Amino acid sequence: MSDLHNLSVKALASLLQTKEVSAVEVATRFLARMGGNPHNAFLDIDSEVTLAQARASDAKLADGTAGPLEGVPVAHKDVFVTREFATTAGSKILSGYRSPFDATVVQRLRTAGMVTLGKLNCDEFAMGSANENSAYGPVQNPWDTARVPGGSSGGSAAAVAAGLAPAATGTDTGGSIRQPASFCGITGIKPTYGRASRFGLIAYASSLDQAGPMARSAEDCALLLSAMCGGDIDRDSTSLDMPSEDFSASLNHSLEGLRIGIPKEFFGEGLHADVRAAVDGALSEYEKLGAKLVPISLPRTELSIPVYYIIAPAEASSNLSRFDGVKFGHRAKDYTDLVDMYKKTRAEGFGNEVKRRIMTGAYVLSHGYYDAYYLQAQKIRRMIADDFQNAFKECDVIAGPVAPSVAWKFGENANDPVADYLADIFTLPASLAGLPGMSVPAGFGAGNMPVGLQLIGNYFKEAQLLNAAHRLQQATDFHLRKPEGI
Ligand code: GLN
């Protein structure tokens, strides 16, 4: 079968269950494609480990103990700790680090039968929107290698778009699943905060971090999300004590009468015309499917940028204090005493963006500034969440662009961190509110680059979002298009 790498998770799972292909055959094909590390998408590959997992899957398929996704490959963003692969979070400070345990999400996907292809490049500690902040070099966008793949889950998005993995995990703190999915023309969903366990997910901003799947279609995302979710209360106290759902079961519900809220703040000045055209196209498809478009307002959209860029760095400055060279990771070679060791280790180990955020975070939390910045930001965060609840009185889901533009060229924003921050405007509100959000391919814009439509649902409405995305994907073929030569 020559096009194994282009098959969906669903198709691969069924070929494996009926033994038309073996897990070893599938893994071998993907490992061959990963050779030479195209697009710099991977940070760790170990074919021995992958093949051993695939052989174990074949044994389970043979003896009838196979999981639902047995033998289907997946690759993990490098912020999920893994026993069998190194974990760096894209940082020099964790170079060569190996965890003694697997993250819950990794472990659950293994239990469902998935075979691990390796670890995926990302912005250092998931801080960024272009994957230009990885200590191990940027990832290229498979649609145009002169452009960024988005971030911070850039390796995940590029790997799926380039047919190096049928699916990947990502994390989304302020848009890091949705925006790279949009930039690379794939589908990704960030579930409600607390749906997926954060245990073993290297923390960036704990009140925002959430794991989710990235794949070619909503149907495939549903399969992975069902396997990933579920309470893990003993190991992550913020995980929701509720069982996962079979998200595939509700994929064919009619959209007749669905009220789609269109926030006017998402369609203002900053939105590029090409993105707007693609998003409008998707919205008229929804009208054809029986949905009604309802104008709504999310009045504090603009404030989500300063609010997020206070809260996320504040939490990061605390979370990243554990990287001190004492127990794991990089340690500076020459130092005079303990404090000197801390200073040199952290100065050498962290990149500029991470340092910038640690300093911002320490500043907004410091005595005398806490009330003016951090506390104020928390209050506005609450108001942003309330705005959504008001909006959901008038609509069932909210739709808009994922990002103001298509993927930009390397270097365009590299010396202007604020330009990157501003580009997060449409993904930050749902993150601050803890709502589920997804990106669905909606067309192509400037430079023939993919454009994603963002769908935001109310708490726990992942099934509704995935259904809405799936229906669009039955009516359009944007998610089936591939970069040339894939
Ligand atoms: N671009 C945002 C940031 O840099 C979001 C990143 C993320 O979701 N991990 O923080």
Side-chain angles (χ1 to χ4, degrees):
M1 235 172 277
S2 61
D3 69 341
L4 273 183
H5 67 277
N6 278 328
L7 295 182
S8 64
V9 169
K10 191 181 174 192
L12 282 170
S14 114
L15 288 176
L16 283 153
Q17 297 282 346
T18 53
K19 303 195 186 58
E20 281 160 87
V21 289
S22 71
V24 167
E25 219 176 305
V26 175
T28 306
R29 167 65 56 81
F30 281 101
L31 288 170
R33 291 188 60 78
M34 287 153 56
N37 197 16
H39 309 300
N40 198 27
F42 279 85
L43 292 181
D44 196 21
I45 296 172
D46 184 337
S47 51
E48 286 311 311
V49 169
T50 301
L51 289 171
Q53 291 187 6
R55 282 192 293 272
S57 281
D58 281 331
K60 289 186 173 174
L61 286 159
D63 71 15
T65 57
L69 298 175
E70 199 68 59
V72 180
V74 66
H76 296 295
K77 183 177 183 180
D78 207 28
V79 294
F80 292 95
V81 300
T82 41
R83 228 164 15 85
E84 295 180 289
F85 295 87
T87 303
T88 67
S91 182
K92 261 202 322 223
I93 209 158
L94 280 176
S95 158
Y97 171 68
R98 216 164 252 269
S99 164
F101 62 93
D102 282 333
T104 298
V105 161
V106 171
Q107 183 211 312
R108 288 198 172 152
L109 292 174
R110 287 283 299 128
T111 305
M114 296 195 97
V115 167
T116 315
L117 289 173
K119 300 300 286 295
L120 294 159
N121 204 344
C122 57
D123 282 304
E124 185 173 2
F125 289 104
M127 297 175 188
S129 308
N131 220 123
E132 286 176 299
N133 298 336
S134 167
Y136 303 98
V139 174
Q140 296 170 328
N141 190 314
W143 291 88
D144 175 354
T145 54
R147 291 180 192 255
V148 303
S152 63
S153 314
S156 309
V160 172
L164 308 176
T169 54
T171 60
D172 192 311
T173 303
S176 282
I177 288 175
R178 290 161 285 161
Q179 186 257 25
S182 170
F183 280 14
C184 291
I186 65 160
T187 307
I189 179 164
K190 171 197 107 72
T192 306
Y193 179 81
R195 267 278 198 188
S197 170
R198 291 186 299 107
F199 181 74
L201 196 179
I202 295 177
Y204 161 16
S206 311
S207 75
L208 294 153
D209 297 342
Q210 194 48 207
M214 301 169 78
R216 290 213 187 83
S217 65
E219 211 172 26
D220 283 358
C221 283
L223 289 168
L224 268 85
L225 191 64
S226 297
M228 286 167 65
C229 287
D232 189 23
I233 204 82
D234 293 341
R235 300 191 293 178
D236 168 10
S237 62
T238 64
S239 77
L240 297 160
D241 198 9
M242 62 195 280
S244 189
E245 276 176 42
D246 178 2
F247 294 108
S248 308
S250 47
L251 284 183
N252 283 304
H253 291 176
S254 159
L255 299 186
E256 200 62 53
L258 183 81
R259 297 168 305 163
I260 303 183
I262 310 297
K264 65 168 189 277
E265 293 79 4
F266 281 39
F267 291 83
E269 237 176 85
L271 181 62
H272 291 210
D274 55 330
V275 174
R276 178 164 194 152
V279 168
D280 283 346
L283 295 177
S284 42
E285 284 297 334
Y286 274 120
E287 286 186 298
K288 284 188 217 155
L289 291 167
K292 276 201 288 288
L293 305 185
V294 185
I296 59 159
S297 174
L298 295 170
R300 292 175 186 87
T301 297
E302 233 173 58
L303 291 179
S304 65
I305 299 175
V307 167
Y308 173 87
Y309 280 101
I310 287 170
I311 292 175
E315 295 185 19
S317 74
S318 165
N319 276 326
L320 270 58
S321 63
R322 74 191 60 161
F323 301 104
D324 57 7
V326 176
K327 289 200 173 131
F328 49 77
H330 173 77
R331 179 184 297 181
K333 282 209 172 59
D334 304 309
Y335 49 87
T336 50
D337 56 22
L338 185 64
V339 172
D340 191 44
M341 191 279 280
Y342 288 156
K343 282 188 186 163
K344 287 192 173 134
T345 296
R346 289 167 65 85
E348 291 169 11
F350 289 137
N352 285 341
E353 184 60 28
V354 173
K355 288 178 184 161
R356 185 178 294 126
R357 297 199 190 190
I358 291 173
M359 287 189 279
T360 312
Y363 177 80
V364 300
L365 289 174
S366 59
H367 183 70
Y369 295 101
Y370 181 93
D371 287 4
Y373 295 108
Y374 184 72
L375 207 59
Q376 193 67 10
Q378 291 289 23
K379 289 179 186 164
I380 303 172
R381 178 181 188 175
R382 181 59 203 221
M383 293 163 126
I384 290 170
D386 290 345
D387 286 347
F388 276 106
Q389 290 315 306
N390 278 331
F392 282 124
K393 287 179 191 147
E394 290 157 51
C395 62
D396 306 303
V397 296
I398 293 172
V402 172
S405 72
V406 296
W408 51 86
K409 297 213 165 100
F410 282 111
E412 254 174 49
N413 288 353
N415 298 316
D416 182 2
V418 176
D420 271 18
Y421 301 170
L422 293 177
D424 291 338
I425 182 157
F426 303 135
T427 49
L428 299 178
S431 293
L432 289 164
L435 293 166
M438 69 182 296
S439 176
V440 195
F444 293 83
N448 205 27
M449 295 303 290
V451 174
L453 172 80
Q454 182 174 206
L455 296 173
I456 300 169
N458 211 342
Y459 301 111
F460 315 118
K461 297 285 191 188
E462 291 84 1
Q464 188 181 39
L465 284 186
L466 287 162
N467 178 51
H470 179 61
R471 301 297 294 198
L472 183 70
Q473 293 185 333
Q474 287 179 313
T476 58
D477 71 349
F478 300 122
H479 65 296
L480 299 175
R481 309 231 195 130
K482 298 183 177 76
E484 229 173 82
I486 304 297

